[in-house]
Amino acid sequence: MKRFCELKIPIKESALNSLDWRVKVLPKEIKFCARCAISNQRPGIVFDENNVCAPCNFAEKKKKLIDWASRKKEFEKMLEGYRRNDGNFDVIVPSSGGKDSAVVAHRLKHEYGMHPLCVTWAPMIYTDIGWQNLQNFIASGFPTVLMFPDRILHRKLSKLAFVKIGAHFYAFGRGQMAAPFHVAIEKGIKLVMYAQNGESEYGGITKYDNQCGVSWADWERFYHAGLTLDNTLKVGVQEGFLTEEEMKDPCFKLYTIPSAKILSENDIAMHWFFYYHKDVPQENYYYVSQHTGFQANPERSEGTYTKFASLDDRTDGFHYYLGFIKYGIGRATSDAAHEVRDGFISREEAVALIRKYDGEFPKKYYKEFLEYVDLTDEEFRDVVDAYRQEHIWKKENGEWKLRHQAS
Ligand SMILES: [Zn+2]
């Protein structure tokens, strides 16, 4: 295999010296939420005195306290400040062609009479279904700016992030978050509308549970664990993942949200659509299959039992798999816990699904993934094992096993 960079230290050593500080501060005693079965190992999650996690409490509170009719009014009022009827776009919808962003764009256009411009930051490697869903979405009447990053630099950043953060999606996630703001500034569009605050819904930081958006100052800390692109790239250069010259490439600007100063000078605001609307993954799925030609996967996604979420990228499975390695929490746990909170399944059913599917190895695209991040099978295993923590994993007869599982 022809390597695309000469590392200065062995992969294993590099991964053991990870930049992701969150894995180092996890509670050593593992607990499982009494309601949804997620564990306390998810970074930022808080459990109350009854052993119930913050997202469960958040979901309950939403059911009881939120008056969705008045939130809708609030939303309409907010939109009035941005609506344009002069032939220009008035809102950017960061959109993958996936179900949530399709719901947002469709409802903004047809229910609220807005003029959305969608911005798609391309996945690492499109799946057939992901590409088809994007085409169907565009064909149902949505102008879309599709951005592909420099594939060489993107792969290098993915490799760096996989080894040093245990999260190759860092590269994709940064671009997906940042690129829409660059388009907003360029086109003079003042409003950027994301779907939901994943932290509240899936169980991370609760500070923004009851707010319609996040402060610019908190953004980096929130979504990228405080791992600024600059620092990550600097370490990358030191260890030989990329060169000093590559680090200065203008492409990397697209991976960083413009500064708070630039955003406020341009009067740009971001809002979460599902702060103002009820967010039920199942219902979103039905909505977009009817309105934007969205199709579920013909088969379930590896590592979980669902067929309709996160389908666009062949490397998705490795994002969830590494989460499972680092925190003992896989894709099935996230999906099942969300469905418990929405009242679709019981805790017992969730536990059964978690035990059956969580941590399933994403073998379907393994070869492609290795090629994409330029790693050998052995190096991949070295990185994975470097992220296993003593209080989460044990080795039994040569096989890795979780020390604790939801029951
Ligand atoms: Zn819970």
Side-chain angles (χ1 to χ4, degrees):
M1 178 158 99
K2 191 174 171 290
R3 312 310 300 262
F4 64 24
C5 55
E6 280 299 325
L7 297 188
K8 291 174 188 156
I9 52 173
I11 287 273
K12 194 173 183 172
E13 201 182 308
S14 174
L16 282 167
N17 187 19
S18 169
L19 291 172
D20 192 352
W21 54 272
R22 295 172 307 174
V23 292
K24 296 164 193 161
V25 297
L26 296 174
K28 293 287 178 268
E29 189 198 339
I30 298 180
K31 288 187 203 164
F32 296 90
C33 172
R35 214 162 282 163
C36 74
I38 200 168
S39 87
N40 62 346
Q41 300 295 296
R42 194 190 195 282
I45 204 165
V46 178
F47 280 43
D48 70 10
E49 63 285 0
N50 300 318
N51 228 7
V52 175
C53 75
C56 278
N57 282 324
F58 178 59
E60 274 311 298
K61 214 159 59 185
K62 275 207 301 193
K63 274 181 218 159
K64 285 189 201 135
L65 296 178
I66 296 177
D67 172 359
W68 291 111
S70 74
R71 282 270 168 107
K72 190 173 159 74
K73 276 201 191 110
E74 207 184 310
F75 187 66
E76 279 163 345
K77 200 171 148 209
M78 183 274 290
L79 289 182
E80 285 320 309
Y82 298 96
R83 187 188 308 283
R84 294 176 71 162
N85 290 306
D86 59 354
N88 284 302
F89 295 112
D90 44 25
V91 55
I92 294 256
V93 179
S95 139
S96 60
K99 68 176 172 32
D100 294 347
S101 48
V103 168
V104 174
H106 194 275
R107 290 184 65 181
L108 278 171
K109 181 171 173 177
H110 295 284
E111 194 176 326
Y112 295 101
M114 297 292 284
H115 310 91
L117 174 65
C118 300
V119 176
T120 300
W121 179 256
M124 310 243 179
I125 311 170
Y126 258 113
T127 57
D128 295 344
I129 189 95
W131 181 249
Q132 194 50 53
N133 278 331
L134 180 69
Q135 296 306 314
N136 294 351
F137 173 69
I138 294 168
S140 55
F142 293 92
T144 298
V145 176
L146 174 57
M147 299 172 91
F148 279 97
D150 174 327
R151 184 66 56 85
I152 297 171
L153 294 180
H154 198 66
R155 285 175 64 200
K156 288 189 175 187
L157 181 59
S158 303
K159 175 176 187 166
L160 166 63
F162 182 71
V163 177
K164 296 302 294 184
I165 309 175
H168 77 291
F169 248 39
Y170 176 82
F172 169 75
R174 291 201 67 104
Q176 190 195 30
M177 281 288 176
F181 290 98
H182 293 283
V183 177
I185 290 174
E186 189 193 304
K187 304 220 177 279
I189 301 168
K190 310 288 184 200
L191 178 61
V192 179
M193 183 79 63
Y194 279 94
Q196 66 279 86
N197 172 7
E199 289 293 314
S200 298
E201 300 289 336
Y202 287 93
I205 296 119
T206 52
K207 184 175 167 192
Y208 285 92
D209 279 1
N210 292 307
Q211 297 191 35
C212 56
V214 60
S215 85
W216 303 123
D218 275 348
W219 193 285
E220 190 88 29
R221 206 153 48 79
F222 246 53
Y223 289 96
H224 306 296
L227 300 163
T228 66
L229 184 67
D230 223 35
N231 286 345
T232 307
L233 289 176
K234 270 181 199 150
V235 173
V237 171
Q238 280 161 19
E239 297 194 9
F241 285 90
L242 70 169
T243 64
E244 187 111 38
E245 203 167 314
E246 284 170 329
M247 185 181 154
K248 292 179 195 140
D249 195 284
C251 276
F252 282 125
K253 282 219 170 68
L254 290 174
Y255 294 77
T256 301
I257 295 198
S259 69
K261 189 168 169 273
I262 293 178
L263 288 165
S264 33
E265 277 167 11
N266 284 277
D267 265 339
I268 295 191
M270 69 86 55
H271 286 256
W272 283 307
F273 184 85
F274 289 109
Y275 165 81
Y276 302 96
H277 302 86
K278 209 169 167 187
D279 178 17
V280 182
Q282 286 277 2
E283 285 173 12
N284 292 343
Y285 166 59
Y286 296 130
Y287 184 93
V288 287
S289 16
Q290 198 185 344
H291 295 291
T292 70
F294 181 84
Q295 288 171 356
N297 224 351
E299 53 193 18
R300 71 173 177 84
S301 309
E302 288 167 303
T304 190
Y305 56 97
T306 62
K307 294 179 171 185
F308 54 70
S310 194
L311 308 176
D312 315 316
D313 194 328
R314 293 188 186 195
T315 73
D316 263 8
F318 296 92
H319 166 62
Y320 294 102
Y321 184 69
L322 263 289
F324 179 69
I325 299 297
K326 288 162 87 174
Y327 312 117
I329 297 173
R331 188 170 183 175
T333 299
S334 297
D335 289 344
H338 204 298
E339 289 197 0
V340 171
R341 289 173 208 137
D342 288 337
F344 288 116
I345 60 173
S346 68
R347 190 181 189 281
E348 291 67 46
E349 286 168 309
V351 168
L353 290 165
I354 291 167
R355 288 190 166 239
K356 185 159 183 197
Y357 297 112
D358 229 18
E360 177 187 21
F361 188 77
K363 58 181 182 306
K364 196 170 166 192
Y365 299 120
Y366 183 45
K367 255 179 85 178
E368 267 175 278
F369 179 74
L370 288 181
E371 210 177 294
Y372 194 90
V373 291
D374 180 46
L375 290 173
T376 64
D377 175 51
E378 197 189 337
E379 287 169 337
F380 175 89
R381 286 161 200 269
D382 282 345
V383 174
V384 166
D385 289 346
Y387 281 94
R388 289 184 202 272
Q389 298 210 67
E390 182 68 31
H391 72 287
I392 298 180
W393 293 95
K394 61 180 173 188
K395 213 169 193 177
E396 249 177 35
N397 306 324
E399 263 188 58
W400 287 107
K401 293 239 162 80
L402 285 173
R403 283 184 192 275
H404 307 277
Q405 273 192 297
S407 58

